[in-house]
Amino acid sequence: MAGAAARVLIVEDTPTQAEVARALLRDLGHEIRVAETGTAAVEQTLAWQPDAILMDIELPDFSGFEAMRRLRAAGIETAIIVVTAHGSVNHAVEAMREGAVDFIVKPYAKTRLTVTLQNALEKRALATELREVKAQLTRDRFMGFIGGSPAMQAVYRTIESVAASRANVFITGESGTGKELAAEAVHRASPRRAGPFIALNCGAIPRDLLESEIFGHVKGAFSGATDNRLGAAKLADGGTLFLDEIGELPLDMQVKLLRFVQTGSYQPVGASKPEKGDVRFVSATNRDPWAEVEAGRFREDLYYRLYVVPVEMPPLRARGADVALVARHFLAAFAKEEGKRFRAFAREAEAALASYPWPGNVRQLQNVIRNIVVLHDGERVEVAMLPPMLLRTASGRAPLPAAPPPPPMPVAPPMPVAVVTRLEPQAWPEPEEEAPPPPMAPMPRLPEPAPEPALPWVPPPRIEDFQPLAEVEKRYILAALDQVGQDVPRAASVLRINPSTIYRKLQAWRAEDGAG
Amino acid sequence: MMDTAIAFPAMQVVDRLVAECHRFEVSAIDPDIAGQLAAELPLEDFVRIVRTFEDDLGRLAGQLEAAVANGDQDGYRRAAHSLAGAAAAVGARRLEHVARLGMDHRAQVDPRTISLHVQHEARAALAELAALADNPPGSA
C-alpha cells in the first residue's frame, strides 16, 4: 500500500491549505479528495474508505478530534494524521489519544508531509496485513467448514488460492470428510459464484443412465425418452460441475467426459450436433486416483485433465481440537432443532470424542451427536451418554462404564432423493452461527471399529425350504432398503454391493411388475 | 454580537503594532515558505495555489468586513482564523500576523482597523506572490 497509489482525504476548511497539501502530494500519485467540514469528513470516509486522512483540528462544525471519535466509533481504521497550526504538546497528546498515527504542524515542508504520510500508510498496510494473516491462521470457520486445525487451514488456503482461476480441482479424502462442501466452497469463492453449482454423484447413477444424466438427451433418443432432457453439463453452464465419486465412471463414459473437458463441447444422447458448455470441473473420490489409473480403471489422459489442483481433505482423526469444535457446533444445532437443553460436553465425554479414531469422519460425528441429543437430555453430555464404541480407547482397552440403556447405532440422515443437486445463486446465504452444515451424501459404511462378534451357528434349512436365489436377493435388497429409509447408497454399503447394482435391479423389477 | 461600545486602543497604537511587524519583516511573504513552494512545485501548481489564495482572500475579507459591519463577533473571529490559516499556508506572514491580532480577543484591536490592514496586507502578499510566480527561485 505504501508504495502503491492510496486514497487520501484532506480534511481542511481553508481552500488554500487544502490546495497546498494537494499540490505537495501530487507527485506521489495518490487519489486525493477534500472535505471542508467535520460532517463531510465522516460522510466521505464512510463512503470512500480512504487509506489515510490529513485531519485539520479547527473545523467549522466540530473539531477534528470529534470527527476522529465518530470515525473510530464507526469502526474506521484509516491512518489519521492530525494537522494543526498549534504545535503544542497537549494537541499532540490529544491527537494520539484519539488514535492519530502522527501529528504535523502547519506550515509544513513537502518532505515532512510526504514522509509522514508514507510512514502512516506503511504502518497501516503492515497492521492490515498482520491482522489478515492472523485471521487466516486462526479462523475456525470457512465457507461452511468448522475447524481451525493446521490441516484445515491448509485446505482453506488452497481453496482460496484456486478459486479465482479456471483450473480444475480434484478433491480426495475419506468418506465423510466434506468433499462436497469443499467443492461448494471452491464454487462460492470463485468468480462463477453467481452461476449454477451442479453436483452429480457418478456412483449413484445406473450405468446406462449416466450419459443422459451428464449430457442430457433429446426426445426419442431411447425408449422412455419422451421429452428433451437437459444434462448436468448444460445445467452447469457458466458455473461449476461437481463430479463426485468420479472413480465410478465407466471407461466408455470417461472418453466422452474427456472430450467435454478438452473441447468444451458435448453431444446430448440422440442429438445430431454437439453443444458447447462453459464449465469448471471439480471432481472427487475417496480412492487413490493414481492407483485407479495404474489399475487401468481410470484413463490417464482424463486424470491429467481433472487432477490439476489437488485438495486433500484430512480425516477427522488428523484434525486434533477440531473434533471438539465440530461436536460443540452439532450439539448446539441439534439441541436447538430437537428442543433439548444441551449446552456442553463433560470433560470426560470430550476426551472420549477426542480419542476415538472416527473412521466415518465428520458425518459419523454428526450422527453420534444427533443420536445423543435425540436419546438423552440434560445441560451436559455425560460420558455415559456416548455410544459404547466411543468408550473403547484407540489402544483397545476395556470400555469405560456406560449408561444403560446403550443407545442404538447412529442413523444416517436420508440422502436427498435427487442425485443431481442444483444450487441456485440466490440460495447461498452465509452459514449461520448455529445452523447445521449442508446435507452431505450418506455414510457408505457404518462406524464400528471393534471386531464383529462371531455369528451364531444356525442349522441349514431343509431342501424343501430353499427358495430361488433371485427371490431371496430381491427380498433381501428390499428389506435392506426398508431398514435404511430407501437410501440406496447406504443399502448398497450394508450389502457390500455397488449402488448401481441396486438401481439396475429396481429398474428390472419395476419393468417386470409393469409387464406382469 | 460584537460589543461596539468596547474602548479599543487608539488607531495609532494598532498602526504602531503593525509597523513594528513591518520593521522586522520587510517582505509581505516568508521566502522560506512561499519560496519553497515556488521552487518545489511545478509552476502550474504554484499558480493554482496563488489563485486559490486570491479567491480565499476576496471571500474572507468580505466576510470579515460584513462581520464588522454587523457587529458579528463569532463571524469576525471565524473569518480572521481562516485568513490566518490561508496566509500561513503560502507564507504571507504579515497578513497572518494581522489576522491573528483579530483572532486574539486580549489584543482588543478595533475590528475596523484590522479589516483595513487585512486589505492592505492581502494586496501586498498577492503582489509578491505574483512576482514569485513570474520569477520562481532557480529560474534565473
mmCIF file of all heavy atoms in Angstrom, chain A residues 337-358:
data_model
loop_
_atom_site.group_PDB
_atom_site.id
_atom_site.type_symbol
_atom_site.label_atom_id
_atom_site.label_comp_id
_atom_site.label_asym_id
_atom_site.label_seq_id
_atom_site.Cartn_x
_atom_site.Cartn_y
_atom_site.Cartn_z
ATOM 1 N N GLU A 337 -32.658 -27.774 17.403
ATOM 2 C CA GLU A 337 -33.605 -28.423 16.495
ATOM 3 C C GLU A 337 -34.555 -29.361 17.252
ATOM 4 O O GLU A 337 -35.740 -29.425 16.953
ATOM 5 C CB GLU A 337 -32.775 -29.226 15.482
ATOM 6 C CG GLU A 337 -33.453 -29.475 14.162
ATOM 7 C CD GLU A 337 -32.472 -30.186 13.230
ATOM 8 O OE1 GLU A 337 -31.421 -29.604 12.915
ATOM 9 O OE2 GLU A 337 -32.763 -31.336 12.843
ATOM 10 N N GLU A 338 -34.017 -30.072 18.235
ATOM 11 C CA GLU A 338 -34.811 -31.067 18.956
ATOM 12 C C GLU A 338 -35.459 -30.504 20.225
ATOM 13 O O GLU A 338 -36.115 -31.241 20.959
ATOM 14 C CB GLU A 338 -33.923 -32.263 19.352
ATOM 15 C CG GLU A 338 -33.240 -32.965 18.182
ATOM 16 C CD GLU A 338 -34.200 -33.815 17.345
ATOM 17 O OE1 GLU A 338 -35.314 -34.096 17.821
ATOM 18 O OE2 GLU A 338 -33.833 -34.170 16.207
ATOM 19 N N GLY A 339 -35.208 -29.225 20.505
ATOM 20 C CA GLY A 339 -35.785 -28.611 21.708
ATOM 21 C C GLY A 339 -35.215 -29.189 22.989
ATOM 22 O O GLY A 339 -35.921 -29.315 23.983
ATOM 23 N N LYS A 340 -33.922 -29.529 22.974
ATOM 24 C CA LYS A 340 -33.261 -30.079 24.171
ATOM 25 C C LYS A 340 -32.395 -28.992 24.824
ATOM 26 O O LYS A 340 -32.101 -27.965 24.216
ATOM 27 C CB LYS A 340 -32.390 -31.279 23.785
ATOM 28 C CG LYS A 340 -33.176 -32.448 23.174
ATOM 29 C CD LYS A 340 -34.051 -33.127 24.206
ATOM 30 C CE LYS A 340 -34.839 -34.287 23.623
ATOM 31 N NZ LYS A 340 -34.075 -35.523 23.513
ATOM 32 N N ARG A 341 -31.950 -29.296 26.070
ATOM 33 C CA ARG A 341 -31.247 -28.265 26.844
ATOM 34 C C ARG A 341 -29.730 -28.311 26.713
ATOM 35 O O ARG A 341 -29.029 -27.501 27.302
ATOM 36 C CB ARG A 341 -31.599 -28.416 28.334
ATOM 37 C CG ARG A 341 -33.055 -28.093 28.647
ATOM 38 C CD ARG A 341 -33.349 -28.393 30.098
ATOM 39 N NE ARG A 341 -33.241 -29.828 30.377
ATOM 40 C CZ ARG A 341 -32.778 -30.342 31.507
ATOM 41 N NH1 ARG A 341 -32.347 -29.544 32.472
ATOM 42 N NH2 ARG A 341 -32.711 -31.641 31.690
ATOM 43 N N PHE A 342 -29.216 -29.294 25.977
ATOM 44 C CA PHE A 342 -27.763 -29.487 25.937
ATOM 45 C C PHE A 342 -27.006 -28.210 25.579
ATOM 46 O O PHE A 342 -27.369 -27.505 24.631
ATOM 47 C CB PHE A 342 -27.401 -30.568 24.911
ATOM 48 C CG PHE A 342 -27.698 -31.948 25.381
ATOM 49 C CD1 PHE A 342 -28.621 -32.734 24.710
ATOM 50 C CD2 PHE A 342 -27.052 -32.464 26.494
ATOM 51 C CE1 PHE A 342 -28.904 -34.011 25.136
ATOM 52 C CE2 PHE A 342 -27.334 -33.762 26.927
ATOM 53 C CZ PHE A 342 -28.269 -34.526 26.250
ATOM 54 N N ARG A 343 -25.953 -27.941 26.379
ATOM 55 C CA ARG A 343 -25.136 -26.754 26.120
ATOM 56 C C ARG A 343 -23.651 -27.088 25.994
ATOM 57 O O ARG A 343 -22.910 -26.318 25.394
ATOM 58 C CB ARG A 343 -25.287 -25.755 27.273
ATOM 59 C CG ARG A 343 -26.677 -25.203 27.411
ATOM 60 C CD ARG A 343 -26.825 -24.524 28.751
ATOM 61 N NE ARG A 343 -25.931 -23.381 28.869
ATOM 62 C CZ ARG A 343 -26.261 -22.151 28.540
ATOM 63 N NH1 ARG A 343 -27.459 -21.902 28.070
ATOM 64 N NH2 ARG A 343 -25.409 -21.168 28.664
ATOM 65 N N ALA A 344 -23.236 -28.211 26.590
ATOM 66 C CA ALA A 344 -21.788 -28.501 26.602
ATOM 67 C C ALA A 344 -21.549 -29.994 26.798
ATOM 68 O O ALA A 344 -22.484 -30.762 27.040
ATOM 69 C CB ALA A 344 -21.128 -27.730 27.736
ATOM 70 N N PHE A 345 -20.261 -30.370 26.698
ATOM 71 C CA PHE A 345 -19.852 -31.746 26.952
ATOM 72 C C PHE A 345 -19.111 -31.800 28.292
ATOM 73 O O PHE A 345 -18.347 -30.884 28.612
ATOM 74 C CB PHE A 345 -18.885 -32.223 25.867
ATOM 75 C CG PHE A 345 -19.525 -32.427 24.532
ATOM 76 C CD1 PHE A 345 -19.603 -31.378 23.621
ATOM 77 C CD2 PHE A 345 -20.068 -33.653 24.178
ATOM 78 C CE1 PHE A 345 -20.198 -31.550 22.391
ATOM 79 C CE2 PHE A 345 -20.678 -33.835 22.938
ATOM 80 C CZ PHE A 345 -20.745 -32.784 22.045
ATOM 81 N N ALA A 346 -19.323 -32.869 29.027
ATOM 82 C CA ALA A 346 -18.500 -33.101 30.215
ATOM 83 C C ALA A 346 -17.067 -33.350 29.732
ATOM 84 O O ALA A 346 -16.867 -33.803 28.599
ATOM 85 C CB ALA A 346 -19.023 -34.316 30.977
ATOM 86 N N ARG A 347 -16.104 -33.058 30.617
ATOM 87 C CA ARG A 347 -14.700 -33.166 30.187
ATOM 88 C C ARG A 347 -14.379 -34.587 29.715
ATOM 89 O O ARG A 347 -13.706 -34.784 28.713
ATOM 90 C CB ARG A 347 -13.794 -32.765 31.343
ATOM 91 C CG ARG A 347 -12.360 -32.545 30.885
ATOM 92 C CD ARG A 347 -11.457 -32.248 32.047
ATOM 93 N NE ARG A 347 -11.868 -31.049 32.750
ATOM 94 C CZ ARG A 347 -11.361 -30.675 33.933
ATOM 95 N NH1 ARG A 347 -10.468 -31.428 34.520
ATOM 96 N NH2 ARG A 347 -11.760 -29.576 34.520
ATOM 97 N N GLU A 348 -14.888 -35.593 30.450
ATOM 98 C CA GLU A 348 -14.589 -36.994 30.075
ATOM 99 C C GLU A 348 -15.216 -37.324 28.718
ATOM 100 O O GLU A 348 -14.631 -38.055 27.914
ATOM 101 C CB GLU A 348 -15.134 -37.972 31.128
ATOM 102 C CG GLU A 348 -14.544 -37.803 32.518
ATOM 103 C CD GLU A 348 -15.180 -36.662 33.286
ATOM 104 O OE1 GLU A 348 -16.206 -36.117 32.830
ATOM 105 O OE2 GLU A 348 -14.630 -36.301 34.347
ATOM 106 N N ALA A 349 -16.407 -36.787 28.482
ATOM 107 C CA ALA A 349 -17.082 -37.060 27.203
ATOM 108 C C ALA A 349 -16.274 -36.443 26.067
ATOM 109 O O ALA A 349 -16.080 -37.073 25.012
ATOM 110 C CB ALA A 349 -18.495 -36.475 27.224
ATOM 111 N N GLU A 350 -15.777 -35.237 26.291
ATOM 112 C CA GLU A 350 -14.996 -34.577 25.244
ATOM 113 C C GLU A 350 -13.697 -35.346 24.997
ATOM 114 O O GLU A 350 -13.243 -35.473 23.858
ATOM 115 C CB GLU A 350 -14.705 -33.131 25.654
ATOM 116 C CG GLU A 350 -14.644 -32.207 24.454
ATOM 117 C CD GLU A 350 -14.801 -30.754 24.842
ATOM 118 O OE1 GLU A 350 -15.958 -30.298 24.882
ATOM 119 O OE2 GLU A 350 -13.790 -30.091 25.098
ATOM 120 N N ALA A 351 -13.115 -35.873 26.085
ATOM 121 C CA ALA A 351 -11.879 -36.652 25.951
ATOM 122 C C ALA A 351 -12.146 -37.926 25.142
ATOM 123 O O ALA A 351 -11.330 -38.327 24.298
ATOM 124 C CB ALA A 351 -11.325 -36.990 27.320
ATOM 125 N N ALA A 352 -13.297 -38.549 25.399
ATOM 126 C CA ALA A 352 -13.637 -39.774 24.653
ATOM 127 C C ALA A 352 -13.831 -39.450 23.172
ATOM 128 O O ALA A 352 -13.388 -40.204 22.298
ATOM 129 C CB ALA A 352 -14.912 -40.398 25.233
ATOM 130 N N LEU A 353 -14.484 -38.329 22.894
ATOM 131 C CA LEU A 353 -14.670 -37.928 21.489
ATOM 132 C C LEU A 353 -13.307 -37.687 20.831
ATOM 133 O O LEU A 353 -13.080 -38.058 19.681
ATOM 134 C CB LEU A 353 -15.491 -36.634 21.399
ATOM 135 C CG LEU A 353 -16.958 -36.687 21.821
ATOM 136 C CD1 LEU A 353 -17.581 -35.296 21.726
ATOM 137 C CD2 LEU A 353 -17.753 -37.647 20.948
ATOM 138 N N ALA A 354 -12.410 -37.076 21.595
ATOM 139 C CA ALA A 354 -11.104 -36.717 21.030
ATOM 140 C C ALA A 354 -10.237 -37.946 20.759
ATOM 141 O O ALA A 354 -9.433 -37.949 19.838
ATOM 142 C CB ALA A 354 -10.377 -35.771 21.972
ATOM 143 N N SER A 355 -10.422 -39.007 21.568
ATOM 144 C CA SER A 355 -9.526 -40.168 21.411
ATOM 145 C C SER A 355 -10.080 -41.214 20.429
ATOM 146 O O SER A 355 -9.374 -42.141 20.057
ATOM 147 C CB SER A 355 -9.274 -40.821 22.767
ATOM 148 O OG SER A 355 -10.493 -41.273 23.296
ATOM 149 N N TYR A 356 -11.311 -41.042 20.006
ATOM 150 C CA TYR A 356 -11.901 -42.008 19.063
ATOM 151 C C TYR A 356 -11.375 -41.728 17.648
ATOM 152 O O TYR A 356 -11.194 -40.565 17.267
ATOM 153 C CB TYR A 356 -13.430 -41.860 19.117
ATOM 154 C CG TYR A 356 -14.156 -42.877 18.258
ATOM 155 C CD1 TYR A 356 -14.142 -44.223 18.587
ATOM 156 C CD2 TYR A 356 -14.840 -42.476 17.114
ATOM 157 C CE1 TYR A 356 -14.798 -45.150 17.796
ATOM 158 C CE2 TYR A 356 -15.502 -43.391 16.318
ATOM 159 C CZ TYR A 356 -15.476 -44.733 16.658
ATOM 160 O OH TYR A 356 -16.114 -45.649 15.877
ATOM 161 N N PRO A 357 -11.114 -42.774 16.863
ATOM 162 C CA PRO A 357 -10.479 -42.536 15.546
ATOM 163 C C PRO A 357 -11.434 -42.041 14.443
ATOM 164 O O PRO A 357 -10.984 -41.656 13.379
ATOM 165 C CB PRO A 357 -9.912 -43.909 15.179
ATOM 166 C CG PRO A 357 -10.747 -44.886 15.928
ATOM 167 C CD PRO A 357 -11.137 -44.203 17.214
ATOM 168 N N TRP A 358 -12.713 -42.047 14.657
ATOM 169 C CA TRP A 358 -13.711 -41.540 13.704
ATOM 170 C C TRP A 358 -13.499 -42.047 12.276
ATOM 171 O O TRP A 358 -13.227 -41.260 11.360
ATOM 172 C CB TRP A 358 -13.742 -40.000 13.721
ATOM 173 C CG TRP A 358 -14.118 -39.470 15.058
ATOM 174 C CD1 TRP A 358 -13.295 -38.861 15.954
ATOM 175 C CD2 TRP A 358 -15.402 -39.543 15.678
ATOM 176 N NE1 TRP A 358 -13.981 -38.552 17.100
ATOM 177 C CE2 TRP A 358 -15.283 -38.964 16.944
ATOM 178 C CE3 TRP A 358 -16.654 -40.060 15.285
ATOM 179 C CZ2 TRP A 358 -16.341 -38.870 17.841
ATOM 180 C CZ3 TRP A 358 -17.713 -39.974 16.160
ATOM 181 C CH2 TRP A 358 -17.549 -39.391 17.426
#
